[in-house]
Amino acid sequence: MIYTLIVKGPAYGKENSISALFFAKALVSRKIHVIKSVFFYCDGVLNANKFLSPAKNEFDTRKKWSMFSLQNQIRLNVCFSAALRRGIIGIKETCNQKILEGNLDIYFKISSLENLSRDIQKSDRIIQF
């Protein structure tokens, strides 16, 4: 089965993001499932903020998503408009906004709802967290 995951919960304060990560890890470990992409939408885009810095004894959600992406070659897409509304700025947007540095983690990529719809068309299952 081919899955697309949609994460709408922030990195901290709700369990949406961590639940999605554990679900994604379980899918990948079975080796019979494929994750087309993970799409961060609404408050889920806050997972992509590279300036998140939890205490050393806390679960680092952003870092865990980054490592998951790197190890499994799975795209972590961030909704462009939701990210801008919540202050998540990628490198390309820094020029337009006249800001020196963006705060989008390098393992997350700015994307659009159009890309999400293409991924959904190519998926057997869509799961929202």
Side-chain angles (χ1 to χ4, degrees):
M1 292 235 156
I2 301 171
Y3 288 81
T4 293
L5 305 182
I6 301 172
V7 180
K8 293 176 70 179
Y12 299 100
K14 295 186 179 183
E15 293 187 18
N16 303 54
S17 181
I18 294 170
S19 296
L21 178 62
F22 289 155
F23 181 79
K25 285 182 175 184
L27 282 179
V28 170
S29 71
R30 303 247 353 244
K31 300 195 191 286
I32 58 172
H33 301 293
V34 174
I35 298 176
K36 183 75 178 154
S37 71
V38 180
F39 191 84
F40 294 86
Y41 188 56
C42 298
D43 284 343
V45 301
L46 297 172
N47 287 276
N49 185 347
K50 72 179 180 183
F51 295 131
L52 288 176
S53 57
K56 288 183 182 183
N57 64 343
E58 289 181 1
F59 191 83
D60 191 340
T61 308
R62 180 196 48 83
K63 185 176 180 181
K64 297 291 185 183
W65 272 117
S66 298
M67 295 308 299
F68 174 77
S69 172
L70 183 64
Q71 292 167 349
N72 299 290
Q73 299 300 304
I74 294 173
R75 292 179 301 157
L76 302 177
N77 296 315
V78 177
C79 177
F80 175 74
S81 57
L84 282 181
R85 277 189 219 107
R86 290 164 179 83
I88 306 298
I89 309 285
I91 292 172
K92 291 180 183 176
E93 293 76 40
T94 57
C95 296
N96 296 339
Q97 303 290 331
K98 297 181 179 158
I99 298 172
L100 295 177
E101 181 182 9
N103 61 343
L104 181 71
D105 185 276
I106 60 170
Y107 294 102
F108 292 79
K109 304 295 178 218
I110 293 292
S111 189
S112 67
L113 291 175
E114 182 181 344
N115 290 341
L116 174 61
S117 66
R118 275 194 226 118
D119 288 344
I120 287 173
Q121 284 180 333
K122 296 175 185 174
S123 298
D124 299 311
R125 299 281 186 268
I126 299 92
I127 302 185
Q128 178 177 293
F129 293 88

